[in-house]
Amino acid sequence: MRLSDQQLQTFRREGCLFPQRALQAEDAGRRVAALQAFAQAKGQSLTALLRFKAHLRFRALEEIARHPAILDAVESLIGPDILVFTSTVWAKAPQDRRYVSWHQDSAYFGLDPHEEVTAWVALTDSRRDNGCLRVIPRSHLEADYSHEETGDADNLLIRGQAIRGLDENAALDVELEPGEFSLHTERTVHGSLANASARPRIGYAVFYIPPHVRSTLGRRSALLVRGEDRHGHWDADPVPVGDDDPAIEAYMQSAFRRYRDQEASSAA
Ligand SMILES: O=C(O)CCC(=O)C(=O)O
């Protein structure tokens, strides 16, 4: 299931590639139902509950993060040794005003070199009308963009970071069926509109790096999902024993604090 030479060329030229298939649509639907039941039991929204290292919290997501079809595609792009550095469920309810402003993940991820690749897996259908992921093709080949931190409450990004003044005519809608995924680089400018439809839009983004990539925000952790880590730049994340593992919960609190503290001190 490796990417063809043509797909590799497309990814390198455009900074994104889609659609690829990981799950059957029924399987994606079952995972959505399980996720919704989990969030309801915890009394939290999906996005609040599953923003940081979501694969450690919920088995159905860890399986996706380790899915062979996704890892084969990612291996074609970053090589046989693969770490998951974090993963996030991006959920928009029907008629949800929330959106994601144009941004480059490379401005915030604290990775060097910028070799991260994101697999964005559609758990529901993801179309223009329900606020699909959008990318600016070839933006990864441009110089770094500057971001303004808007703090807009409707922006799903924590700090509402936004690139202003982009030519929106260049945007490409990454429309996907349930179970399909897209790939983009951490330097590809991306975002998404509000959900104007009567359907939910739920996506699961998994952020992959090769182990030679370093953290520029101090020592952090990641989960090896394929191959070997011969570099030791990242502490090993624990492997969860089931959903909502209390040991993972405590670990996540401290990992997130460490991530945020280092981010804050490096920005100071
Ligand atoms: O799902 C979205 O709307 C935005 C996703 C995103 O920003 C990301 O995966 O980095």
Side-chain angles (χ1 to χ4, degrees):
M1 294 281 282
R2 286 181 67 86
L3 298 180
S4 66
D5 287 347
Q6 198 180 354
Q7 288 174 317
L8 285 173
Q9 273 173 29
T10 302
F11 182 83
R12 291 195 181 118
R13 188 182 62 238
E14 305 297 323
C16 65
L17 183 73
F18 67 98
Q20 301 289 117
R21 181 161 289 282
L23 307 171
Q24 294 308 311
E26 305 71 45
D27 186 2
R30 275 194 296 274
R31 286 170 207 257
V32 167
L35 280 173
Q36 283 169 334
F38 178 56
Q40 200 171 10
K42 301 287 281 181
Q44 284 187 53
S45 74
L46 278 177
T47 302
L49 190 61
L50 296 167
R51 185 181 277 276
F52 179 64
K53 292 191 189 284
H55 55 289
L56 298 187
R57 277 225 162 104
F58 202 62
R59 235 9 203 300
L61 297 176
E62 192 201 350
E63 286 166 11
I64 297 176
R66 294 179 182 275
H67 195 288
I70 300 178
L71 292 183
D72 286 352
V74 171
E75 177 171 342
S76 308
L77 300 170
I78 65 173
D81 301 321
I82 304 177
L83 295 168
V84 174
F85 126 85
T86 185
S87 69
T88 300
V89 171
W90 298 100
K92 293 178 195 166
Q95 308 290 345
D96 195 332
R97 289 205 315 226
R98 292 173 308 161
Y99 66 96
V100 173
S101 50
W102 292 116
H103 67 286
Q104 282 177 311
D105 289 329
S106 51
Y108 290 84
F109 274 178
L111 300 173
D112 181 29
H114 291 312
E115 291 182 17
E116 185 273 348
V117 167
T118 303
W120 196 100
V121 185
L123 296 177
T124 61
D125 73 318
S126 188
R127 311 213 149 267
R128 171 76 178 216
D129 70 334
N130 67 349
C132 66
L133 182 70
R134 306 176 80 209
V135 297
I136 306 283
R138 306 186 184 204
S139 51
H140 67 305
L141 303 174
E142 305 289 328
D144 290 342
Y145 289 82
S146 63
H147 292 68
E148 186 187 320
E149 295 190 359
T150 65
D152 180 357
D154 283 340
N155 194 332
L156 279 168
L157 299 178
I158 291 175
R159 282 171 295 188
Q161 60 266 32
I163 300 170
R164 300 290 192 202
L166 280 172
D167 176 11
E168 300 243 352
N169 292 324
L172 178 67
D173 293 327
V174 181
E175 294 200 315
L176 298 170
E177 297 296 330
E180 289 182 339
F181 66 99
S182 59
L183 296 160
H184 65 267
T185 83
E186 64 170 310
R187 297 196 69 262
T188 306
V189 174
H190 60 285
S192 64
L193 298 170
N195 182 356
S197 81
R199 312 182 312 285
R201 191 231 65 172
I202 303 175
Y204 177 47
V206 191
F207 304 98
Y208 295 101
I209 50 171
H212 65 258
V213 165
R214 292 171 185 273
S215 162
T216 61
L217 300 176
R219 190 125 188 121
R220 289 183 285 166
S221 61
L223 181 73
L224 185 70
V225 287
R226 184 172 274 187
E228 272 181 77
D229 178 355
R230 296 182 197 81
H231 297 268
H233 298 325
W234 297 80
D235 291 340
D237 275 331
V239 176
V241 290
D243 292 342
D244 208 16
D245 178 344
I248 293 285
E249 192 55 42
Y251 171 80
M252 298 270 274
Q253 302 282 346
S254 80
F256 189 60
R257 215 169 22 245
R258 197 150 51 122
Y259 176 79
R260 292 309 303 246
D261 289 353
Q262 275 150 355
E263 198 178 17
S265 61
S266 78

